Amino acid sequence: MVIAVVVGIKDAAKLTGIFIIVCCAVLVCTLFLNFNIDIAGIRDEITSQQVMLFYEAQVSTAKVVSSLCGGCLLITSVIMLIFYIKHYVDTHKKELGILKAIGYSGGKIAVNFWVFGSSVFLGALAGFAGAWMMMSAFYEVQNEDKILPAMSPHFHPILFLSLVILPAVLFGIISIFYSFLKLKAPVLRLLKESWQIPTGKEKHREKREEKGGERPFLDELKRSTLRDKKTLVFFIIFASFCFASMTQMSFSMDELASAMMGIMIMLIGIVLACTTLFLAITTVINGNKKTIAMMRVFGYSQKQCCQALLGGYRPMGYIGFAIGTIYQYVILKVAVYVIFKDIEGMPEYGFDFKAMLIALAAFLVIYETVMYLYSEKLKKISIKEVMLE
Amino acid sequence: MIEVKSVQKSYGSGESRFLVLKGISLKVNTGDFVVILGASGSGKSTLLNIMSGLESPDQGAVLYDETDITKLSDSERTKFRKDNIGFIFQQYYLLPNMTVEKNVKMGADLAKNTDYKTMLEAVGLGEKMKKYPSELSGGEQQRVSVARALAKKPRVLFLDEPTGALDEQTGRQVLDYICKLHKEYGFTIVMVTHNQNIAEMAGMVIRMNSGNISEIYTNSVTKNAYEIGW
Ligand SMILES: Nc1ncnc2c1ncn2[C@@H]1O[C@H](COP(=O)(O)OP(=O)(O)OP(=O)(O)O)[C@@H](O)[C@H]1O
Ligand SMILES: [Mg+2]
């Protein structure tokens, strides 16, 4: 029963977001790490000088791709998940407060957050299985010209442990622990929709701002939304950052790695980028749903509400996109230099302007479409429903 | 004048279809103070929401003078609410991340009313303008929502159990403020309440019983918020 309160049916859909993110990240990591381990094993079988050169090139590429992609994906998904869990617990404070008020102990409630761990586990498992399904095809493509000795995929328990079991346990613990910490607060604080009341310094700043003349309510609202919902601002910036870096990185990777690797990374990058962006935008809208409903009761038009409450996030999205673009360029440049510096015929890596434009266009389209569709959906929900939530 | 003409509303569909309003008709004159009484679940809130244009009925019309608001599109209705309607709910619904002053400004800006601070003073909250809703008591929060609703200079004020969450004393106080402002500005009031005694304050009382109006009567003498029982 407690679990039904903590994670409602609607939220179950949101857990699929986590599932997809984890699945993608684990799939790529499993594939590359397994390949890396196996390819290290055949080093002794190589005799000729020439094969050795090819071997080393292969190893370097695998290293770049796996460390960059895997690393990036992993870090992104970890940050995304932690953030998501935090946001989830924060927005469900009230339900937690009710349970606590009835008399459930903090620990008993917090334990229910293992569901996050379990959805991570399922996602990781799916990713791991998916990787193994394409493993032998992947190995073959990597050694298409049969220059290297034949390689067959071996199962490495350590990978299973560190890519499936460990993340599940870790995220389970993180969510339980975080909600437990939150639950330490007195019941009333949980129940009350308490907002962080600005500190002395911020109040001071507000006063100073006010001297500059009074702003219309909608402007005021726009500013305070960005100021008070910092987590959401961060969420959007980060998601756009991920989107920009992942899509562009996969475009560029196309030239550095084999065709199959490139396509795979690209697909996964896009799926992941879209999922994060989607998650971020829907979270932002949900976070502002109540205010929008209240304002519509009073007669503010949907357009005015959206502009004031959601419009502020748009520039943040572009900032995130810009940072992501620069970031992926720098990191690829450095990585290519470091890893290929001892190897002849180091691939040249320049800024891919075309990829940037495509990514930007895709970003624009996805961002605006999701925003639009979702706020249209909001329109259909009756005000009563929103208010009761 | 507001005229409700044989309004029907049901929820659900098929087997579980449930007729909440079974053909309601009534008239409210401009400047009236109307109270709607009735048992829980009798459809009071639903009627209020339909009268104020928050929900649409399945059948029937709601006329404001000549305009039938049930025929308006969603955005036209929003515009209509903007120009005519004020709301006060049992649960206040203040914007938690904005100060009292800015909450009231939300209403005031819609009517281009720059004089909203007098409204806050009128409900006795002149001192608390810079506070946040979470720093106020329930009664104070409800007074903010009164100021917010009135700052937009509505022609009609709808209240759904405004004193439902308040104790007797704060309840009376809030009602008193509403009454005084009603006399001063002359807007129409439609109030839903559980409290029979509050009906003595109103010029017209509508009693509802499971989706029908069972009784409508007028009071020739009305009492103020401190004269009624509780
Ligand atoms: N969105 C909805 N979906 C289905 N049924 C609803 C919905 N809203 C209201 N009802 C039903 O309509 C009936 C009337 O509801 P309403 O809220 O108008 O009652 P009320 O008279 O205001 O009661 P109370 O005094 O308890 O507030 C109730 O039986 C309720 O179950
Ligand atoms: Mg009601």
Side-chain angles (χ1 to χ4, degrees):
Chain A
M1 185 246 130
V2 179
I3 193 159
V5 177
V6 170
V7 182
I9 305 220
K10 256 201 216 144
D11 302 312
K14 285 185 201 156
L15 292 179
T16 38
I18 295 186
F19 179 89
I20 294 176
I21 293 182
V22 174
C23 178
C24 289
V26 169
L27 193 142
V28 173
C29 289
T30 308
L31 219 46
F32 292 158
L33 287 178
N34 216 62
F35 183 70
N36 273 353
I37 296 179
D38 281 343
I39 203 173
I42 59 164
R43 194 191 171 96
D44 299 335
E45 296 173 30
I46 296 167
T47 41
S48 94
Q49 187 68 33
Q50 222 160 6
V51 176
M52 199 62 187
L53 270 179
F54 181 77
Y55 171 82
E56 244 142 41
Q58 271 284 22
V59 171
S60 310
T61 324
K63 257 191 205 148
V64 179
V65 177
S66 58
S67 57
L68 281 186
C69 275
C72 273
L73 286 185
L74 218 58
I75 292 170
T76 329
S77 18
V78 168
I79 294 182
M80 205 69 192
L81 282 185
I82 290 183
F83 175 79
Y84 193 68
I85 291 170
K86 170 182 153 41
H87 182 78
Y88 186 91
V89 176
D90 287 348
T91 47
H92 285 70
K93 240 174 47 185
K94 212 167 182 169
E95 283 97 317
L96 300 185
I98 294 172
L99 286 175
K100 197 178 166 188
I102 299 174
Y104 286 96
S105 71
K108 216 168 180 173
I109 304 170
V111 161
N112 286 283
F113 280 89
W114 63 265
V115 284
F116 280 110
S118 70
S119 52
V120 168
F121 176 75
L122 288 180
L125 203 62
F128 198 80
W132 270 94
M133 260 150 58
M134 47 177 91
M135 195 71 87
S136 47
F138 178 71
Y139 274 51
E140 247 163 56
V141 173
Q142 288 307 314
N143 193 13
E144 232 166 358
D145 310 329
K146 301 267 182 282
I147 301 176
L148 296 178
M151 251 188 339
S152 60
H154 294 280
F155 180 80
H156 304 285
I158 179 84
L159 281 186
F160 185 75
L161 205 68
S162 56
L163 288 174
V164 181
I165 306 288
L166 208 63
V169 171
L170 216 62
F171 280 111
I173 291 178
I174 288 176
S175 15
I176 291 175
F177 189 68
Y178 184 73
S179 50
F180 186 71
L181 276 187
K182 279 269 140 171
L183 276 162
K184 278 227 165 116
V187 174
L188 271 182
R189 269 254 296 290
L190 292 171
L191 283 177
K192 240 188 180 175
E193 227 175 305
S194 70
W195 281 76
Q196 273 156 4
I197 288 158
T199 54
K201 209 164 124 197
E202 277 173 28
K203 269 198 173 146
H204 191 71
R205 200 188 60 206
E206 269 175 28
K207 270 202 190 113
R208 219 176 39 221
E209 278 175 2
E210 256 156 39
K211 279 204 186 113
E214 228 170 83
R215 273 188 212 82
F217 171 76
L218 287 174
D219 281 3
E220 204 80 71
L221 184 66
K222 196 168 184 170
R223 300 164 67 91
S224 82
T225 316
L226 290 185
R227 194 181 56 219
D228 297 331
K229 304 201 170 171
K230 287 202 187 77
T231 11
L232 289 183
V233 171
F234 172 78
F235 205 171
I236 279 285
I237 294 184
F238 189 72
S240 321
F241 167 88
C242 294
F243 187 92
S245 55
M246 275 189 291
T247 43
Q248 291 180 65
M249 212 178 250
S250 20
F251 281 134
S252 320
M253 213 60 94
D254 205 19
E255 288 157 25
L256 296 178
S258 67
M260 180 185 174
M261 254 191 186
I263 290 172
M264 220 177 61
I265 295 169
M266 191 134 101
L267 277 181
I268 287 179
I270 289 172
V271 169
L272 208 52
C274 292
T275 315
T276 17
L277 199 57
F278 185 79
L279 222 55
I281 295 174
T282 49
T283 311
V284 161
I285 293 186
N286 278 328
N288 289 296
K289 206 153 106 179
K290 252 193 170 146
T291 312
I292 293 181
M294 195 58 231
M295 286 174 62
R296 274 173 49 80
V297 166
F298 268 75
Y300 284 95
S301 70
Q302 179 85 5
K303 205 170 139 205
Q304 280 175 316
C305 296
C306 288
Q307 261 166 13
L309 283 163
L310 308 176
Y313 295 102
R314 189 173 288 115
M316 302 299 148
Y318 290 122
I319 291 174
F321 189 90
I323 302 174
T325 306
I326 298 168
Y327 166 85
Q328 63 89 25
Y329 174 69
V330 170
I331 209 153
L332 272 185
K333 191 97 187 162
V334 170
V336 166
Y337 178 76
V338 168
I339 298 179
F340 287 105
K341 72 170 184 264
D342 305 325
I343 292 172
E344 262 175 77
M346 171 174 133
E348 191 56 42
Y349 175 69
F351 185 71
D352 192 344
F353 197 69
K354 209 173 81 198
M356 200 270 284
L357 282 184
I358 296 175
L360 185 63
F363 176 75
L364 242 159
V365 170
I366 295 175
Y367 186 94
E368 299 300 339
T369 321
V370 175
M371 246 335 168
Y372 177 77
L373 289 181
Y374 218 75
S375 57
E376 277 299 300
K377 206 180 116 199
L378 210 62
K379 227 170 161 175
K380 293 208 183 72
I381 305 173
S382 84
I383 289 154
K384 204 159 93 190
E385 274 170 69
V386 179
M387 281 308 178
L388 275 179
E389 258 173 34
Chain B
M1 191 169 76
I2 312 170
E3 195 174 355
V4 179
K5 278 186 176 169
S6 33
V7 159
Q8 288 195 13
K9 176 79 181 175
S10 60
Y11 288 113
S13 58
E15 285 282 293
S16 62
R17 209 175 116 96
F18 178 62
L19 203 54
V20 179
L21 297 180
K22 303 170 180 168
I24 299 271
S25 299
L26 57 97
K27 276 183 194 172
V28 176
N29 289 318
T30 306
D32 267 6
F33 184 159
V34 178
V35 158
I36 303 177
L37 290 174
S40 186
S42 55
K44 304 181 298 290
S45 300
T46 310
L47 177 61
L48 197 79
N49 290 343
I50 289 176
M51 281 177 79
S52 56
L54 286 182
E55 272 184 276
S56 313
D58 301 339
Q59 268 177 48
V62 178
L63 298 167
Y64 279 74
D65 299 325
E66 307 294 85
T67 329
D68 182 356
I69 61 163
T70 61
K71 297 272 184 310
L72 300 180
S73 73
D74 188 61
S75 58
E76 284 168 334
R77 253 209 310 270
T78 306
K79 168 94 169 48
F80 171 82
R81 284 202 300 271
K82 175 184 155 198
D83 296 335
N84 299 292
I85 309 287
F87 285 99
I88 296 171
F89 299 99
Q90 183 177 351
Q91 294 96 333
Y92 329 131
Y93 297 133
L94 300 177
L95 305 180
N97 54 340
M98 305 205 102
T99 57
V100 165
E101 183 187 10
K102 280 165 197 161
N103 263 288
V104 176
K105 202 158 185 284
M106 163 178 155
D109 271 14
L110 281 170
K112 306 211 164 48
N113 175 3
T114 50
D115 196 23
Y116 60 92
K117 281 183 187 153
T118 39
M119 206 54 82
L120 266 170
E121 271 149 22
V123 295
L125 286 173
E127 304 289 299
K128 310 225 159 171
M129 286 196 209
K130 301 281 179 218
K131 295 259 186 227
Y132 285 81
S134 56
E135 297 173 294
L136 300 179
S137 76
E140 286 166 338
Q141 288 185 52
Q142 191 59 303
R143 270 143 65 196
V144 176
S145 96
V146 170
R148 177 179 66 178
L150 295 180
K152 80 189 279 277
K153 306 228 157 114
R155 287 171 50 208
V156 188
L157 180 64
F158 287 97
L159 305 100
D160 196 345
E161 312 210 12
T163 57
L166 304 177
D167 65 26
E168 175 177 345
Q169 206 189 345
T170 25
R172 283 182 197 276
Q173 201 179 15
V174 168
L175 286 179
D176 191 45
Y177 281 122
I178 293 170
C179 243
K180 277 187 185 141
L181 294 165
H182 170 61
K183 293 219 173 72
E184 193 177 335
Y185 294 95
F187 46 81
T188 310
I189 292 184
V190 181
M191 184 193 297
V192 163
T193 177
H194 267 134
N195 189 337
Q196 305 267 348
N197 297 309
I198 293 178
E200 293 174 24
M201 295 174 66
M204 180 166 138
V205 181
I206 297 168
R207 195 178 291 278
M208 289 189 66
N209 191 358
S210 54
N212 287 308
I213 291 181
S214 58
E215 187 186 9
I216 296 187
Y217 64 88
T218 50
N219 291 324
S220 45
V221 187
T222 56
K223 296 184 177 173
N224 76 31
Y226 292 102
E227 289 163 354
I228 58 170
W230 199 262

